[in-house]
Amino acid sequence: MGIRTGRHVVFCLHAHLVFTTKRRGKVLTKAHLERLHAIFASVCADFNVDLREFNGESDHVHRLVFYPPKVQLSELVNSMKGVSSRLLKKEFPQISAFWSVRKSRGVLWTPSYFAGSVGGAPLTILKQYIENQGRGDRG
């Protein structure tokens, strides 16, 4: 999957990130997931992070990111959640009317997330797992 270098570092850091929708509401459609892929790729580029894989279902999304050691995953996650929530609700206003978002006062994502470090042989298995995730069972 490659090794990158910085001025004083050689690194190969991958993380598996998972976000779930608030109240596990089945909010995300295929169109939402396609737009999320582009949004997450853009946010990653701003952080000098490579989005290696993305997929999801109606109530959660998976990402595999390749990141430099200067990036704090918590800051990347906060940016991904904030930007994606704001843009999705702006571009797809019907999301705000969905029961789980409406009951949560407009919140799309849960405040929690999963972040797992990945490396070596398990990386190929993780890529297969993410590739095999559904693209949403709605629309």
Side-chain angles (χ1 to χ4, degrees):
M1 294 298 276
I3 293 177
R4 288 174 46 187
T5 61
R7 187 168 175 191
H8 299 287
V9 64
V10 176
F11 61 93
C12 184
L13 299 171
H14 293 87
H16 176 203
L17 303 173
V18 181
F19 299 168
T20 57
T21 57
K22 190 74 172 188
R23 302 172 188 259
R24 289 298 286 227
K26 302 209 179 290
V27 176
L28 305 173
T29 65
K30 189 174 190 175
H32 298 143
L33 291 169
E34 288 171 1
R35 182 63 180 121
L36 280 171
H37 188 192
I39 292 168
F40 291 144
S42 176
V43 171
C44 283
D46 291 344
F47 279 79
N48 196 27
V49 169
D50 293 334
L51 178 62
R52 294 282 171 97
E53 292 292 330
F54 169 82
N55 220 331
E57 295 182 10
S58 61
D59 63 353
H60 69 281
V61 293
H62 293 262
R63 268 96 0 105
L64 177 63
V65 296
F66 181 50
Y67 65 100
K70 68 180 180 177
V71 170
Q72 291 183 24
L73 285 180
S74 61
E75 288 182 8
L76 176 64
V77 164
N78 287 339
S79 186
M80 284 179 151
K81 282 185 173 185
V83 171
S84 64
S85 178
R86 186 172 51 255
L87 290 178
L88 271 189
K89 288 186 288 185
K90 179 180 177 184
E91 296 172 19
F92 300 94
Q94 68 274 21
I95 285 178
S96 294
F98 196 83
W99 75 269
S100 63
V101 176
R102 195 176 65 245
K103 284 190 92 149
S104 303
R105 297 187 176 115
V107 176
L108 176 62
W109 303 112
T110 62
S112 56
Y113 61 94
F114 170 80
S117 61
V118 185
L123 200 53
T124 57
I125 294 168
L126 181 60
K127 279 186 70 169
Q128 286 177 345
Y129 173 75
I130 292 174
E131 287 171 356
N132 291 327
Q133 287 289 300
R135 279 279 179 172
D137 54 347
R138 301 171 61 210

